[in-house]
Amino acid sequence: MKKIEHIGIAVKDLNRSIAIYEKLLNTDCYKTEQVASELVNTAFFKTGENKVELLQATAPDSAIAKFIEKKGEGIHHIAFLVDDIMAEMERLHKEGFVLLNDSPKKGADNKMVCFVHPKDTNGVLIEICQEIKWV
């Protein structure tokens, strides 16, 4: 794992939260995106080399809606950038971690992603992500 790519924060109201984080981080939101497969709308901020991702559910049965219902708004996941997501998934599986998906899936911000079950990581949902390279 190369670095923390972003921290994901579950929010109820994306527009309200964008305004809060623009003031907090003293920078504009550089991108919003809907990830239909995950039933979320996202907003991204850059601060130095790091990113913050805000996630708002688009359906009551989405993972983000269930997270907020159970735990309230707050940190949802930490994402780590990897060079080879397939190799990293294989390594994590061999190390005994439970992966929440069998193969990488398209995530936000031009990434392929896979999640590691929080029961194996002290209650923290871990995302591994790899930049999609267009040929």
Side-chain angles (χ1 to χ4, degrees):
M1 296 196 193
K2 295 172 64 172
K3 69 173 188 170
I4 293 176
E5 208 284 334
H6 67 268
I7 296 174
I9 301 172
V11 301
K12 291 179 183 176
D13 182 329
L14 193 62
N15 290 328
R16 181 178 159 277
S17 297
I18 287 171
I20 290 168
Y21 277 83
E22 285 180 334
K23 285 190 252 178
L24 175 69
L25 301 174
N26 196 29
T27 190
D28 291 334
C29 169
Y30 75 87
K31 180 180 196 177
T32 58
E33 181 178 354
Q34 183 177 49
V35 183
S37 64
E38 296 298 312
L39 303 173
V40 297
N41 287 326
T42 65
F44 284 90
F45 299 85
K46 287 183 185 174
T47 175
E49 291 186 22
N50 303 304
K51 296 178 193 171
V52 172
E53 176 189 29
L54 304 179
L55 303 117
Q56 176 190 333
T58 59
D61 60 338
S62 73
I64 294 300
K66 291 175 185 175
F67 176 90
I68 289 174
E69 184 179 304
K70 186 176 180 179
K71 296 184 177 185
E73 293 179 293
I75 293 177
H76 178 259
H77 67 271
I78 300 174
F80 290 90
L81 185 65
V82 299
D83 285 326
D84 183 339
I85 196 166
M86 293 300 293
E88 193 63 17
M89 288 174 67
E90 185 177 326
R91 182 188 76 81
L92 291 169
H93 180 73
K94 285 181 181 176
E95 291 288 348
F97 292 95
V98 173
L99 304 178
L100 295 180
N101 39 304
D102 295 328
S103 59
K105 55 186 175 179
K106 173 90 171 70
D109 202 29
N110 196 44
K111 302 285 187 300
M112 294 303 296
V113 302
C114 176
F115 289 90
V116 180
H117 199 292
K119 73 176 183 170
D120 294 334
T121 55
N122 300 99
V124 178
L125 181 63
I126 300 294
E127 174 185 333
I128 58 172
C129 60
Q130 176 185 332
E131 190 84 26
I132 298 172
K133 297 184 176 50
W134 303 98
V135 181

